[in-house]
Amino acid sequence: MIWYPYEQMKTMKAPYEIVDAEGPYLYTKDAKLLDSISSWWSVIYGYHQPKITEAICQQANKFSHVMLGGLTHKPAQELSEKLAAWLPGDLDYCFFSDSGSVAVEVALKMALQYYVNRGEDGRKRVLALEHAYHGDTFKTMAVGDDEDYHFVLQVYGKNPYVIHIPTEIAALEEAFARYQDEMNCFIVEPLLQGAGGMRMYDMAFLKRARELCDKYGVLLIFDEVATGFGRTGHRFVADEVLPDILVLGKGLTGGHIGHAVTVANKKVFAAFYDDAPEKALMHGPTFMGNALACAAAKASIELFDELDVMARVAHIEEITRRELEGFTDPRIREVRIMGGCACIEVYDAKTLAGYQQFAYERGVFARPFLNYLYSMVPYILTDDELVHIFTVMKEWFQRG
C-alpha cells in the first residue's frame, strides 16, 4: 500500500492515476489534463522532454549510478563545471544530494561547521523567516515556520537556536543587532515563499540582508529549490543578491529525476579545505551525484538557454497579469503574481473545497492547499493553454 504525502490515509480521496504524460499534459485513462503546477514546481519544460530523456537514456546505457565516495565520473564532473560557470559570483563548489530538503540540510550543516572549523563555537543560531518552508527533514522543519507541516516538533517546545522574523527590514535589523555574534546563517526562500503560502516580498529586504551579513560575518543562504530557474522572473534571485550558499533542486533536472545541489562560495569552501581531517564535511548521501540525474541536469541547464526561458517567463507573467490582475470576488483576500507564479488567496479554505475535481472535469490538474489556489506552470505552455488554466480558476468563483 502506498502511503501518500500530506494526506490522512483513512479519509483521503482516491488519487488520479496517470497512465502517460507528454509536454504540459498528464493523461489518465479518461482525461487529458494541463498540469498547472508542474509536478510540485519541478517539470519546467513539460513531461518526456526529448533532450533530457535522451540524456538519461544514453547515460543508462553506460551505468546508472556510481558512488562519489572514492570514485568519480564524467556526468558529475561536467555538471559541476557547468554550474560553476553558469552561476553568479564565486558559487563554484558543488555538493550534490538527492532532494531539495537534504540539500538544505547540507547547507545548514555547512554554515554551522564553517564557524566550528574557525573556532567560533558560539555561533549556534539560525535566522529564518516567518512562514518559511525548507523541507520536511528534521533540521529543515526546525528552520521552517509552518504549523500545518511541522506541528509534530511542538512536542520539543520552542527551539532556542532558530529565530524567525517577518520580511520587514526593521525586524531584520533588530535581529542582527540582538543576535549578531550568535548567528551562523540567515536562510531564506528569496522573494517567493512557496509552501508557506506563496508569499511575495521585496528585493530591498534581501539587499539589506546581504549588507548585514557582511557587516556581522553571518553566512547568507538562498534556498532556491522552488524559486530558481526563472520562477520569480529572475533566472536566480542569486543573480541580483549574491548569497554565500545556494541550494537548487526541482527544475535542476527539469523535474525528470530527483537531484539537488548545495553550492558554496570560495570563502565557505576554504574553511573546510585543510590538512586536518576533522575539518572535512562529513556528509555523503548514497545517491549524491547520481549519473542519470547529472546527465539530466546538464541537459536541463542547456535547455534553459536554448529555449530562452527568461523571455518565456516574462511572457507568462504578462499573460497572467492580463488575466488575473483586478479579478475580484468577496471570498478572495488577494491575488499575487510574480514571474511564473500566480496565487489567489481566499479568506476561508472551505471556499476551495471541490476545486480539484472541478478543474479535472475541465481538463486541468490543480492542487490547492489551505487558503491558496495557485499556478506554477511549465514554461512551454501556449497562450491558449495558459489562459485556459486561469479561465477555470475564474469560473470557480463565477459559477452560480
Side-chain angles (χ1 to χ4, degrees), residues 4 10 28 35 45 78 80 103 107 122 134 142 195 197 205 208 238 256 261 269 271 289 335 353 355-356 364 371 391:
Y4 288 95
K10 186 174 182 179
T28 68
D35 184 357
Y45 311 113
E78 289 183 342
S80 61
H134 295 286
F205 179 86
R208 184 60 177 145
H256 281 51
V261 63
F269 181 78
V335 175
Y355 179 79
Q356 187 175 68
V364 173
N371 294 42
T391 297

Side-chain angles (χ1 to χ4, degrees), residues 21-23 38-39 42-56 250-259 292-293 295-297 299-300 303 380:
E22 184 77 28
S38 306
S39 270
S42 65
V43 186
I44 57 178
Y45 311 113
Y47 296 93
H48 198 202
Q49 206 290 326
K51 180 168 183 167
I52 298 176
T53 301
E54 178 60 22
I56 293 172
K250 293 189 183 291
L252 177 64
T253 65
H256 281 51
I257 188 170
H259 205 216
L292 300 182
S300 178
L303 273 171
I380 60 168

Side-chain angles (χ1 to χ4, degrees), residues 129-359:
L129 296 179
E130 292 178 355
H131 310 293
Y133 175 89
H134 295 286
D136 292 331
T137 50
F138 260 60
K139 189 62 178 178
T140 61
M141 286 197 295
V143 299
D145 182 46
D146 195 311
E147 292 181 359
D148 293 295
Y149 295 99
H150 309 326
F151 63 89
V152 67
L153 293 188
Q154 291 175 3
V155 300
Y156 291 115
K158 183 174 175 58
N159 189 325
Y161 301 113
V162 181
I163 309 143
H164 288 106
I165 61 170
T167 53
E168 300 167 1
I169 290 178
L172 176 70
E173 292 175 339
E174 181 182 348
F176 272 89
R178 182 174 179 182
Y179 299 107
Q180 57 187 266
D181 297 325
E182 302 173 46
M183 295 190 298
N184 59 65
C185 70
F186 180 28
I187 182 168
V188 299
E189 302 158 90
L191 297 186
L192 172 64
Q193 294 180 274
M198 301 298 164
R199 299 169 189 270
M200 301 170 187
Y201 62 97
D202 194 76
M203 187 75 76
F205 179 86
L206 296 175
K207 290 181 178 178
R208 184 60 177 145
R210 179 70 274 177
E211 292 171 355
L212 291 168
C213 285
D214 288 340
K215 180 177 180 179
Y216 295 111
V218 175
L219 297 179
L220 181 59
I221 301 174
F222 277 7
D223 174 359
E224 294 221 49
V225 171
T227 64
F229 297 93
R231 189 58 72 182
T232 65
H234 303 275
R235 189 185 70 143
F236 301 100
V237 184
D239 289 330
E240 309 300 322
V241 177
L242 190 65
D244 299 293
I245 301 174
L246 175 65
V247 185
L248 302 177
K250 293 189 183 291
L252 177 64
T253 65
H256 281 51
I257 188 170
H259 205 216
V261 63
T262 307
V263 190
N265 66 10
K266 186 175 182 179
K267 176 179 75 174
V268 173
F269 181 78
F272 294 80
Y273 192 73
D274 196 277
D275 291 328
E278 64 271 17
K279 289 190 175 182
L281 179 62
M282 299 302 288
H283 206 94
T286 298
F287 292 102
M288 68 178 296
N290 172 262
L292 300 182
C294 287
K298 182 171 178 287
S300 178
I301 291 170
E302 291 169 354
L303 273 171
F304 191 93
D305 292 327
E306 291 171 11
L307 297 178
D308 195 6
V309 163
M310 293 314 303
R312 288 173 179 257
V313 172
H315 185 66
I316 287 169
E317 181 171 3
E318 179 184 0
I319 299 297
T320 305
R321 292 191 180 280
R322 186 191 75 193
E323 295 297 314
L324 290 184
E325 268 189 344
F327 178 66
T328 61
D329 182 275
R331 294 162 291 181
I332 294 176
R333 180 176 182 176
E334 186 178 32
V335 175
R336 297 189 287 274
I337 299 165
M338 178 183 284
C341 175
C343 176
I344 298 175
E345 181 181 353
V346 297
Y347 288 102
D348 187 344
K350 293 178 182 177
T351 300
L352 302 178
Y355 179 79
Q356 187 175 68
Q357 183 62 26
F358 178 87

Side-chain angles (χ1 to χ4, degrees), residues 370-391:
L370 302 175
N371 294 42
Y372 311 105
L373 173 58
Y374 76 96
S375 65
M376 281 201 184
V377 298
Y379 300 147
I380 60 168
L381 288 184
T382 66
D383 288 4
D384 287 345
E385 290 167 337
L386 185 59
V387 168
H388 180 62
I389 289 169
F390 298 137
T391 297

